[in-house]
Amino acid sequence: MLLSVVMVAAIHRAWAVVPTVFLSGVAAFVLNPAVYGRVFALAAEAPTLAGATTVSAFQLGISVTPVLAAASLSQGAALTSVCLIGAALAAAAVPLVLLDRARQARPTRRAAADAASATIRSAHGTATARVDPEGAQR
């Protein structure tokens, strides 16, 4: 997202475009494997489905982005609109990343509650009610 915004400012200066494009390529080679790694970690029980879904999502992005860019340019927008479309699509992914992080934090709290329940049961030698992080008894 940041490099797309930088490209808007750099697009009229060749000396600035070349390193920006280079850094965009480096970012793609670094971030794409990280995305795949995250997907396979989340879907360890179904790696084939996870891989197919991830490749499909990338292909969807590869297909939709040029269509949006062509629509923008055919309406007379400046070349920088293509960069702004890229930045907007990247910004649209931020809530999904935040949702994933929130979802990832929840099992940690549940695991802590399970561990606390197990400690209480072993200390008393009896079964006790288990309380989850939100305070509901089970």
Side-chain angles (χ1 to χ4, degrees), residues 78-100:
L79 188 57
T80 55
S81 67
V82 176
C83 303
L84 294 174
I85 288 169
L89 291 173
V94 170
L96 298 174
V97 171
L98 295 176
L99 180 66
D100 175 51

Side-chain angles (χ1 to χ4, degrees), residues 54-74:
T54 304
V55 169
S56 296
F58 273 105
Q59 292 302 318
L60 180 64
I62 290 168
S63 301
V64 169
T65 304
V67 170
L68 294 173
S72 172
L73 294 173
S74 68

Side-chain angles (χ1 to χ4, degrees), residues 102-117 129-138:
R103 188 179 149 272
Q104 184 180 6
R106 271 187 250 140
T108 304
R109 289 191 298 250
R110 176 151 301 175
D114 289 345
S117 295
R130 200 169 93 193
V131 178
D132 68 16
E134 288 78 30
Q137 285 190 350
R138 295 187 207 182

Side-chain angles (χ1 to χ4, degrees), residues 1-9 20 24 80 82-84 86-88 90:
M1 179 173 50
L2 177 65
L3 289 170
S4 292
V5 173
V6 167
M7 184 63 81
V8 171
T20 304
S24 294
T80 55
V82 176
C83 303
L84 294 174

